Amino acid sequence: MKEISLNGIWHVRSEEGQYEFDQSVPGSVFQSLEELGVYGEGDVFYRENNRLCLGLAERNFLFSRTFVAGADLLDSDRILLEADGLDTLTIISVNGREAGRTNNMHRPWLIDIKPFVREGENRIEILFLNSLEYIRKERERRTIFASDHNGVVSVQGFNMIRKSHCSFGWDWGPKIPDLGIWRDIRVRGYKDYRLEGIRVLQNHRDGRVDLELSPEAEVWGTAPVMGFTLTGPDGKSQTLDVACGEKGKLTVEAPRLWWPNGLGDQPLYTLTGTLPDGQKRTLRIGLRTLTVLREKDEWGETFAFSVNGIPFFSRGADYIPEDVYLTRVTREKTERLIQDAAAANFNSIRVWGGGVYPSEDFYDLCDIYGLVNWQDMMFACAIYDVKNRDFLENITVEVRENLKRIRHHASVGLICGNNEMEDGIMHWFPSTNEERMEYLKQYEFVFPAVAEEVCPELFYWPSSPSSGGSFEKPNAPELGDCHFWEVWHGLKPFSEYEKHYFRYMSEFGFESYPDMKTIESFTAEEDRNPFSRVMDDHQRCPGGNSKIFYYMSQYFKAPADLKGTVYLSQLSQADALTTGIRHWRRNRGRCMGAVYWQLNDNWPVASWASIDYYGRWKALHYEAKRAFDNLLVSCEGKESRVSLWLSNEDRRERRGKLLWQLTDFAGKEILKGEEGCVIAPFTSRSFITMDFSEELRTSSGSDRFLFVAFEEEGGEVYRASHAFAPYKHMNLEDPALTVRAEETASGIQLRVRAVKPALFVRLDLKGGDCVLSDNFFHMRGGEERILTPLRGEYTLREWQEKLEITSLFHSAY
């Protein structure tokens, strides 16, 4: 096998000649245009610069470069151009002759260029065609539904092209339909065979794991033999030779099993397969069983992930593309995001179907950090032109190639056909009988057949939400997975979550503003009003800002300024979603998953994310860290009655004392108590129920607050609280907060003290960024708390000079 990498510098010119530049590949045309200064002041995120992008996309761009082919390449039986990602519509020419066309950014392309390559210098050109013009013409040919809000949220017709849907805009993202060579590209020459992949199937039995290994290759000459080497986490190796087209078996004795985050370690084995001409694949695999259990019970039918025979409660969020410029995403940036998810006690992550299939780095990092991946195929909120045979063939290859790429990863737990389309067709899409039949063909015949062929070991699910398919009660609370938006879109109170007992909640969300420093990055000073043009532009949910203010008015006093607005919006978001999470965890067994919308942003924006575009944790991410901990303390309250719960998602029992204290906001203790508790693994139960009607008789709850803690044997403390009145009605007093940065042998620590009870205590760095071991927390009067930085490299003096502290009292009281 001979290879010539075509990564590196290409010359790019818009077809009408207005723009011309050199670009490093993989790369983004719009990022290169930004570097040329086409947006004027600032980057594409600044103020309303993003609105220029649709105009920039209304043209073709020609990429060109040369490569040198030697006699050894020309001696190959086949010479292929291998493009892992072309975004999206292209005409490819070699030495002035058309070699092929592409029309799908989600799949790799193999173009036979042997007839066009000559010894010496060769010129390759890739013409990227105007995607906006294409979808306009396709909509004229056939208009089918897409959830684009009549073009306000998304460009109409995004479903007519196999391109990242959210690049045409979404209700959290801008309309930036980028283009270019976005993944690796190369020329390869082959003799006799071409390696396509390695199939690995696991059989767990009697304390050992048998690995069935199958080299997959296209062979037109003599079938080669692949040499396998499997290296364990301990560095010990074993080998095996298997001919292409055959199967071989390696047995791992005393295997080290892979577990999701919080349930155990994530040991990985390295499997390398090499062919005689040097073609090879290296896979990192985790040894585990992983499926979804669907069993009849008293509430309907279970829907629970089970790893190594143990059903577990899924805790996580939905993942979208990390940037509008896809090639700006590095392994380091993705690792920080996945680390932040794991640090917040996630064990799951859902890849949403309106973006792109993530990179190998993403899956590798999910393996390393133990996040079980619910993987949507890239179809969302639309009907597709499946009766078009070319389109159907194209998406079939897309699904097959992506499943072959990701199937070996320990973290991949479920393959889902689409986002919200079964439920949409039933309840909010206009659709015909013909379109319903097309849907069934795509997601309940073609895609599951591909999954069964390529990765039969993975659980296939037709849609999210779904009860199993065939338009049978999608989004039913008694079976399957559900999306729930009555809180937020339906303006229902946070307590609405506690009326519903879903089997698996895969999407529920609530918006907030991003960090104030993030807002300052895209605004001029005159823009810093929640209802300015620029702030409206960085809010893509129709009516989103009004909903943020509506909910703030229900629970909090009016903020004094924009900074207070940002703070209170984040408290609303955190309180809303963790109300649901705590309720569903209390009902473990009936409900077995809480995965919220959404983890991250692809630009700086008011959105449902718990981490903003620049990686800054909102209040929700800190609250999720507490609510997703293996051991959760929670309060279930109605009027004056409060029950104290423990939920244990650990493989071991937990022992300790459950303590509670009722105080006023001057810090005076009204009542207190404690009880020894033992909570078994994978259970949730109430331990104490109290009635505070006498203590609340004269106050309506406005000057009473319940602090709860579980002190585990060994010293760990888990906290909860309960409010008897909306925060806006509380008679808060100045808590007299202080914070001091100290240097210890193990590093910086922050000592926080409250003289009186303090709610939603927040620490931040002026002119800097940090992630702390805790934030946005409550403190009892007289309490002292020690925090440590999880991220933020500053000297002691910098910590002392930059630290800021606030609480709910300071925001509007």
Side-chain angles (χ1 to χ4, degrees), residues 483-498:
H483 295 188
F484 186 73
W485 285 99
E486 288 302 301
V487 180
W488 183 255
H489 286 305
L491 296 179
K492 295 288 181 68
F494 301 165
S495 58
E496 183 70 17
Y497 288 125
E498 297 175 318

Side-chain angles (χ1 to χ4, degrees), residues 246-282:
E246 302 294 330
K247 298 176 182 177
K249 184 176 78 173
L250 279 176
T251 298
V252 181
E253 304 286 351
R256 292 187 57 193
L257 297 183
W258 183 94
W259 295 91
N261 183 38
L263 287 180
D265 296 332
Q266 295 79 43
L268 296 174
Y269 290 70
T270 301
L271 177 68
T272 300
T274 306
L275 294 177
D277 69 348
Q279 296 183 65
K280 73 176 183 178
R281 293 285 191 279
T282 298

Side-chain angles (χ1 to χ4, degrees), residues 460-485:
Y460 177 83
W461 193 239
S463 184
S464 180
S466 180
S467 297
S470 301
F471 302 118
E472 289 290 331
K473 299 195 297 183
N475 218 24
E478 69 269 17
L479 68 167
D481 75 306
C482 288
H483 295 188
F484 186 73
W485 285 99

